[in-house]
Amino acid sequence: MSHNEDDDVTTHLKCCKRYEVWLDFKTFTRNSLEFTSASHVSGTSHLKKHLAKCMEKYGIIMNVIDEQPFVFDQEKSINDFATTVIKHSYCFNMIERNSFEIFYNGLKPNFKLISRNTLRSDTQLIHQKKKERMHDYLDSISSRVQLTTDIWTTRHQCIGCNCITAHFVDDDWILKKKIISFQHIEYSHDDLALNKALRDSFLDWTIDRKLFF
């Protein structure tokens, strides 16, 4: 092999070391040239084929570049679970059911299960934080706010639920609507009861100066 050919092979091998396959192979030096156990003139294809056979035969797992190790976070897991309960309206007592305990133990044994009272407190805390952000958002918009209300009443228990929705156009001229209240109202649901519910709601959100209708 000529001197130029030697330089070409050396340069080729150095370039090939950029490939992921070199995480699983080592080179050795002979006569100032680097070699692997296979031919040095065929790039990395032979190494990939050999590694694939080893994986198939022995179950060897290739290294993954930039793979970040998983770090368990108890607080984040609790917050994620509380958010799931809120979004899907799950019962708080589901956390105390034996079948659920078996389920989460199989996924992550180091997760310490909380009580339903703690879960309730966590959901209320999430609600409070989101309400504070929404309060700041409504305070920042420059448009007027319109309110609509819907009432549902049970026939036999005479229990009323009132939902108040705020409608407005944001600073990007996009129509928005946000539920700002969902509460029980006293029976009978006359004008006075509805008036109190509306008044308490827009005073709570400090949007009384922005009301349009």
Side-chain angles (χ1 to χ4, degrees):
M1 183 180 294
S2 66
H3 178 70
N4 290 336
E5 290 176 340
D6 291 347
D7 291 340
D8 291 341
V9 171
T10 303
T11 302
H12 176 71
L13 287 171
K14 290 182 179 179
C15 292
C16 286
K17 283 194 172 182
R18 295 196 308 266
Y19 296 113
E20 188 176 323
V21 70
W22 286 105
L23 294 172
D24 298 282
F25 287 91
K26 294 183 179 180
T27 61
F28 64 94
T29 304
R30 180 178 296 172
N31 298 329
S32 301
L33 289 177
E34 288 186 333
F35 294 86
T36 61
S37 58
S39 172
H40 62 274
V41 296
S42 58
T44 58
S45 298
H46 64 290
L47 301 179
K48 293 178 181 179
K49 292 179 181 179
H50 177 72
L51 188 59
K53 291 181 180 179
C54 290
M55 292 175 63
E56 181 179 355
K57 186 175 182 179
Y58 302 107
I60 299 175
I61 302 177
M62 294 180 63
N63 295 323
V64 179
I65 298 178
D66 297 332
E67 182 180 358
Q68 298 297 325
F70 173 77
V71 178
F72 174 69
D73 189 330
Q74 171 77 9
E75 184 175 351
K76 181 180 182 301
S77 297
I78 292 176
N79 184 77
D80 290 343
F81 181 70
T83 302
T84 301
V85 170
I86 294 173
K87 288 185 175 182
H88 299 282
S89 301
Y90 293 147
C91 298
F92 293 137
N93 63 359
M94 69 169 291
I95 205 167
E96 298 178 347
R97 295 175 181 174
N98 183 59
S99 58
F100 181 76
E101 184 177 356
I102 295 174
F103 169 71
Y104 84 79
N105 274 331
L107 293 177
K108 196 65 183 177
N110 10 345
F111 177 68
K112 297 178 181 178
L113 199 60
I114 57 179
S115 66
R116 63 177 176 179
N117 291 331
T118 303
L119 177 60
R120 182 186 295 108
S121 299
D122 291 338
T123 57
Q124 291 173 345
L125 180 61
I126 292 175
H127 170 266
Q128 184 61 35
K129 289 181 179 179
K130 288 184 177 294
K131 183 177 180 179
E132 290 173 0
R133 289 199 294 267
M134 180 57 63
H135 189 283
D136 294 338
Y137 175 65
L138 290 176
D139 187 58
S140 68
I141 61 175
S142 55
S143 68
R144 293 280 186 171
V145 177
Q146 290 70 238
L147 299 180
T148 58
T149 179
D150 293 306
I151 299 177
W152 295 270
T153 306
T154 60
R155 292 184 178 181
H156 304 292
Q157 296 177 325
C158 296
I159 296 176
C161 292
N162 182 40
C163 178
I164 301 175
T165 306
H167 305 260
F168 56 92
V169 177
D170 67 9
D171 294 337
D172 295 323
W173 287 91
I174 300 176
L175 181 62
K176 300 285 188 178
K177 62 178 182 178
K178 302 291 183 181
I179 294 176
I180 61 174
S181 176
F182 195 96
Q183 59 181 324
H184 292 292
I185 57 175
E186 298 180 359
Y187 187 81
S188 64
H189 319 311
D190 54 14
D191 292 343
L192 292 177
L194 181 58
N195 179 69
K196 182 179 184 305
L198 287 169
R199 184 180 66 252
D200 291 346
S201 181
F202 62 67
L203 289 178
D204 180 39
W205 289 92
T206 62
I207 56 175
D208 48 301
R209 295 184 178 182
K210 291 186 176 184
L211 286 183
F212 188 57
F213 66 84

